[in-house]
Amino acid sequence: MSKVPKSWPKTVYDFENNPLDSKTIELGRKLFYDPLLSLDNTISCSSCHLSFTAFTHVDHALSHGIGDSIGTRNSPVLINLAWSKHFMWDGAVNHIDVQALAPITHPSEMGEDLENVIRKLNQHNSYPQLFKEAFGSETISSKHLLKALAQFQLTLISSNSKYDKVKRKEATFTKQEKSGYKLFKKNCASCHSEPLFTTGNFENNGLPIDSFLKDNGRGKITQLESDNYKFKVPTLRNIEFSFPYMHDGRFKSLKEVLNHYTSGINHTPNLSPKLENGIELTSNQKADIIAFVLTLTDKEFLFNPAFQFPRDKN
């Protein structure tokens, strides 16, 4: 966690219960890229969370799983997870130490049974030794599997974009970026607050309901009508690389996203109060905001070899 700027808020994750360790992190990285965790050994965590694209997928709107199955949502980015209280678009998971259970067991994602995953890992030619090095025992447990995956994901910290360098007085915004930053703070920051560029809260941002998916978001989890069509506010860090946008990947460009907020908001009873009066932006102002959010691109993060496929002998 040495990359965390001192000005950032305290992490939500309690590292005392799962202290980061280099061997455990590397084990988690290997597991993250291993399709052995899926039913037919074809889908890994990285299949939907690509390091070069801010740990999401970009070639289709909805996630794809085993047997050419198609999921119901666009995969969320995996960035700065130690500050998250909830995971998944609807907050169905409230702790990263168990988050991997959801995709591993989802029939349209990895479609596997956790007991079978543990059996395959225990029978593997190298995993027992790797787990012994990380946790002190060759007998692999689901607890250690999930903790290893969590440790790797907790290292996915993005804090070295141009925006961050400007904040550290190592760079300066262009005139257009500076204008966009001012507009952003006025129109967008109430949900995408600095420095994480998300509040982590759930909001109904006025998207017209998809007639096929009929996804009611947070409401499905809480069973509260007031939570219908609310989704977790995503971080805007590395947004340049994480298209398509929204929980269902309906928008392919940032221009489309801004057009939604200026002219496409669907006014429903539980629309976020922050959007009740709409957002007014000229085409030039939209271009300025886009110029600013592009300063949130962190290429050191995106192309960090420590986050990529582990090319080892195991």
Side-chain angles (χ1 to χ4, degrees), residues 47-48 50 56-65 69-71 73-75 242-245 248-250 252:
S47 297
C48 286
L50 309 172
T56 184
H57 59 69
V58 297
D59 55 341
H60 39 265
L62 304 175
S63 60
H64 289 191
S69 58
I70 299 177
R73 289 177 180 155
N74 182 31
S75 65
S242 62
F243 58 90
Y245 306 113
D248 54 9
R250 69 176 66 191
K252 293 186 172 84

Side-chain angles (χ1 to χ4, degrees), residues 66-130:
I66 59 169
D68 293 325
S69 58
I70 299 177
T72 57
R73 289 177 180 155
N74 182 31
S75 65
V77 297
L78 304 181
I79 299 174
N80 299 333
L81 300 178
W83 288 266
S84 291
K85 295 179 181 178
H86 303 280
F87 301 87
M88 322 293 277
W89 281 102
D90 55 15
V93 178
N94 63 7
H95 204 293
I96 194 172
D97 283 358
V98 296
Q99 188 279 329
L101 275 173
I104 288 173
T105 60
H106 194 289
S108 294
E109 294 185 42
M110 301 169 85
E112 183 58 290
D113 176 84
L114 188 58
E115 289 186 10
N116 197 43
V117 171
I118 299 302
R119 180 188 62 79
K120 288 192 288 185
L121 290 172
N122 275 307
Q123 293 176 353
H124 194 270
N125 64 349
S126 62
Y127 275 119
Q129 179 60 31
L130 293 173

Side-chain angles (χ1 to χ4, degrees), residues 27-48 65-67 103-104 109-113 116-117 120-121 124 127 145 149 309-310 314:
L27 172 59
R29 177 186 176 195
K30 181 175 174 65
L31 290 163
F32 186 87
Y33 283 93
D34 199 332
L36 180 145
L37 300 189
S38 67
L39 180 63
D40 60 3
N41 299 332
T42 63
I43 299 293
S44 68
C45 302
S46 66
S47 297
C48 286
I66 59 169
I104 288 173
E109 294 185 42
M110 301 169 85
E112 183 58 290
D113 176 84
N116 197 43
V117 171
K120 288 192 288 185
L121 290 172
H124 194 270
Y127 275 119
L145 162 66
L149 284 167
F309 182 85
N314 295 315

